[in-house]
Amino acid sequence: MGLAIIGTGRFLPPDRATNQDLTRVMDTTAEWIEQRTGIQARHFASDGVGASDLGAEAAKEALRKARIAPEQVDYLLVATMTPDHHFPGPAAMVGAKVGMPGVPSLDVRQQCAAWIYQLQLAHALVHTGQASTLLLVGCEAHAGFMPWQDWDYLYGRGGSAPSPEAWERASRHRGLAILFGDGAGAVVVKRTDDDRGLLAVDLHSDGRHVDLLFVPGGFTHRPYWTKEMLDEEKHIPRMMGKELFRHAVAKLPESVRTVCAKAGVSIDQVDLFVAHQANDRINGAVRTALRVPAEKVPSNIAQIGNTSAGTIPILLDELTESGRLKPGMLVCFLALGAGLHWGSALFRT
Ligand code: UT7
């Protein structure tokens, strides 16, 4: 029994901010951002649009390409770190928007590493006979935590220049604010009678490092939200970028070596490394550590930034569309994100 990818889709909200646009609202430069991250531009959802809206659009495209009607899906796995509401998570909302009421849906809360967990869950559900056609969605609307206020001014559409206080506030969070962009990807997978699909997984979590990337606000506070908390910027994630960088560069190559050993394949035999796109320099360092040529590690961070749980499904759709992802390939997925959660998976397409 195997698992095949039968359709992929992506959706990026129309509003797009270049690095130069970001220099209108905080102390940064287009060159710094590009040199330190590889990012040139990112998309942002507009006010009133949530991760579930973006996810639903990507899902509809994936279903259309898979030639599958929504009612043929028997399980939905939706990952985000920016849910429309504190609860419930967006999985059921994506299901409703796509037109699959009653289909079981699960929220996956593993941030940038979600795809590896989604794939493992899909494999387990298929191999235990619980499901045969699954829709996997990764969707993010980070715009809500960006540290500036006047979006029109950011896009150069009028508005008013930030006050010195607003400028200072946004600049304090610039390491975070330059990195993330909004978007969604979706993948339809189906049980097959051959041996395609997941070959091995190496997964880890370590909550001792939760403080490296987290939103300070939450249900430990009574009430869980106050005006003071907003003043203290507890809605904006705190990120220790350098530390996260170090963890990613140390842990991801180790995980790839482990997953290859588990599957009995050499790193050279892997056709494509489909990696989370947190920062192009992270993937460059991982590539160097594993001695993998650049052409085997596709990148899409330049035009869309770090789309967290959306990243790998979006990249999969791009690779399918361009013909780079072909049947029979050995693909290694790898990702690390807030939690910490990290790991890799080997998949035969
Ligand atoms: O998606 C998964 C989770 N996230 C990650 O994996 C993020 C991983 N980390 C990173 O991508 C990088 O650490 C960042 C892009 C966030 C930051 O890059 P860095 O090379 O680690 O910079 P840094 O924070 O060490 O800062 C270096 C310098 C500092 O100036 P001084 O103290 O050397 O004078 C910063 O103040 O760069 C300054 N800086 C900036 N300058 C202009 C930091 N952010 C900016 C900015 N524009 N946006």
Side-chain angles (χ1 to χ4, degrees), residues 23-347:
T23 67
R24 290 198 188 91
V25 292
M26 61 185 176
D27 183 18
T28 187
T29 66
E31 296 72 30
W32 192 97
I33 301 171
E34 190 169 355
Q35 278 165 16
R36 303 293 267 239
T37 67
I39 300 169
Q40 299 169 7
R42 72 286 292 143
H43 293 251
F44 286 122
S46 50
D47 199 8
V49 173
S52 73
D53 298 305
L54 308 181
E57 290 308 312
K60 284 179 202 161
E61 195 194 319
L63 290 168
R64 189 178 52 73
K65 290 198 207 153
R67 298 171 198 271
I68 288 275
E71 54 272 21
Q72 289 174 270
V73 172
D74 47 28
Y75 220 106
L76 173 60
L77 298 169
V78 177
T80 191
M81 68 174 203
T82 50
D84 300 31
H85 305 293
H86 281 287
F87 77 85
M93 295 168 71
V94 171
K97 286 172 185 175
V98 169
M100 46 178 79
V103 171
S105 63
L106 185 68
D107 291 293
V108 178
R109 295 296 315 267
Q110 269 59 33
Q111 290 65 244
C112 302
W115 174 254
I116 318 283
Y117 281 83
Q118 285 173 291
L119 209 52
Q120 187 185 46
L121 283 168
H123 174 90
L125 288 165
V126 163
H127 280 258
T128 54
Q130 308 292 312
S132 60
T133 305
L134 298 93
L135 176 58
L136 280 49
V137 178
C139 45
E140 300 288 356
H142 304 104
F145 68 57
M146 287 299 155
W148 51 78
Q149 272 144 12
D150 197 328
W151 287 84
D152 283 337
Y153 193 75
L154 170 89
Y155 293 125
R157 299 174 189 155
S160 40
S163 65
E165 296 74 37
W167 176 271
E168 202 270 317
R169 183 177 94 140
S171 301
R172 255 200 322 275
H173 297 284
R174 63 186 177 175
L176 175 92
I178 53 145
L179 214 52
F180 294 96
D182 297 346
V187 179
V188 185
V189 295
K190 194 173 174 16
R191 192 185 70 198
T192 62
D193 294 328
D194 52 34
D195 58 359
R196 280 179 285 178
L198 202 57
L199 305 181
V201 180
D202 175 63
L203 261 183
H204 304 274
S205 301
D206 189 346
R208 290 175 302 174
H209 304 298
V210 67
D211 57 339
L212 297 188
L213 180 53
F214 73 110
V215 179
F219 285 96
T220 52
H221 301 276
R222 288 159 182 66
Y224 72 89
W225 199 250
T226 62
K227 179 168 179 322
E228 289 69 36
M229 289 167 71
L230 197 62
D231 293 342
E232 291 162 14
E233 300 166 357
K234 288 194 169 163
H235 60 297
I236 301 177
R238 302 297 190 264
M239 185 177 83
M240 293 167 72
K242 245 188 171 39
E243 286 303 305
L244 274 173
F245 198 106
R246 283 200 198 105
H247 277 281
V249 167
K251 291 185 159 73
L252 291 173
E254 192 184 323
S255 178
V256 170
R257 287 189 194 104
T258 304
V259 85
C260 286
K262 273 189 187 179
V265 301
S266 71
I267 290 171
D268 289 351
Q269 287 174 289
V270 176
D271 297 300
L272 274 182
F273 292 83
V274 180
H276 174 55
Q277 313 274 308
N279 181 326
D280 228 20
R281 283 165 50 227
I282 292 180
N283 290 348
V286 171
R287 216 171 61 212
T288 305
L290 294 171
R291 298 173 199 275
V292 170
E295 59 272 18
K296 281 193 176 183
V297 191
S299 166
N300 67 354
I301 198 169
Q303 294 307 317
I304 65 171
N306 176 349
T307 52
S308 300
T311 300
I312 290 182
I314 291 174
L315 188 52
L316 269 178
D317 185 48
E318 291 176 355
L319 293 168
T320 306
E321 197 171 83
S322 67
R324 267 181 94 182
L325 188 71
K326 296 187 182 70
M329 274 188 161
L330 183 58
V331 177
C332 181
F333 296 107
L334 54 148
L336 176 140
L340 291 179
H341 300 286
W342 73 95
S344 55
L346 273 176
F347 191 93

